[in-house]
Amino acid sequence: MRSAARVLLPLAAAGLSAALAAGLVPAPAAASVSSVSPVASVVSVASVVSPASVASAAETWRWGPTASSDTKGWANGYVRSGSSGLRIVGDLYDAGGARTCSWVKIKWLTDRGKYRTATYRNCSQSTPRTFTVNAGYMLLAKAMVCRGGTTRITGKCSRWERVWTQGG
């Protein structure tokens, strides 16, 4: 019995911290779980946390809208956590005239200290363009919306707006 408790004790601690992080175990129940034997805590945590509830506990942060300085282009979206890091998803809108496009530039700082960028364009005034950036493990992300032509950004940009930051 002692060897089984030694093997299950780290699993109970990991399960309990995952359950508390997901908000699935109320505080009084967590206190009573810690005062019980390790084997009993494994049973109670296993009954509270199911694999489906942990898998659906991905966090989502909304950002935007961020508009260009002439307000003819704007973008908004969300950042979602996943098993392979963070993903930035958004929609880019264009309300400009003929031969103009809206551009969004995403800049993020990786966990290794390198800046990466991704740029997307939308020249259709009738439909938004959805973009996705697989940023991985990052520390900071910013977005800027600009106006331009079909090949490059020409100006009228917004300020860099913070999309996501580690720690809030």
Side-chain angles (χ1 to χ4, degrees):
M1 182 67 178
R2 177 179 279 188
S3 63
R6 190 177 307 145
V7 170
L8 294 176
L9 187 58
L11 296 174
L16 181 60
S17 64
L20 289 173
L24 299 175
V25 178
S32 65
V33 168
S34 64
S35 63
V36 183
S37 70
V39 175
S41 66
V42 170
V43 172
S44 64
V45 169
S47 64
V48 172
V49 179
S50 68
S53 65
V54 172
S56 66
E59 293 192 59
T60 303
W61 298 271
R62 301 239 172 249
W63 62 273
T66 302
S68 61
S69 62
D70 65 353
T71 66
K72 291 188 177 184
W74 65 97
N76 62 358
Y78 60 90
V79 178
R80 175 163 284 175
S81 66
S83 61
S84 62
L86 296 166
R87 175 179 287 172
I88 303 167
V89 180
D91 291 321
L92 176 61
Y93 299 88
D94 181 39
R99 291 185 239 157
T100 60
C101 301
S102 294
W103 294 74
V104 64
K105 198 172 201 177
I106 305 289
K107 176 171 71 171
W108 69 96
L109 178 64
T110 66
D111 60 344
R112 298 186 182 255
K114 302 277 186 178
Y115 275 100
R116 303 282 186 234
T117 60
T119 307
Y120 298 94
R121 145 190 97 166
N122 183 10
C123 297
S124 171
Q125 289 92 31
S126 59
T127 58
R129 172 161 186 204
T130 302
F131 59 90
T132 303
V133 177
N134 292 324
Y137 298 102
M138 66 177 176
L139 304 174
L140 170 77
K142 296 180 179 184
M144 178 171 62
V145 178
C146 298
R147 300 290 293 156
T150 58
T151 58
R152 64 186 176 95
I153 296 172
T154 58
K156 296 183 181 154
C157 296
S158 67
R159 297 181 313 139
W160 283 104
E161 183 175 321
R162 190 167 291 175
V163 170
W164 185 86
T165 303
Q166 183 178 2

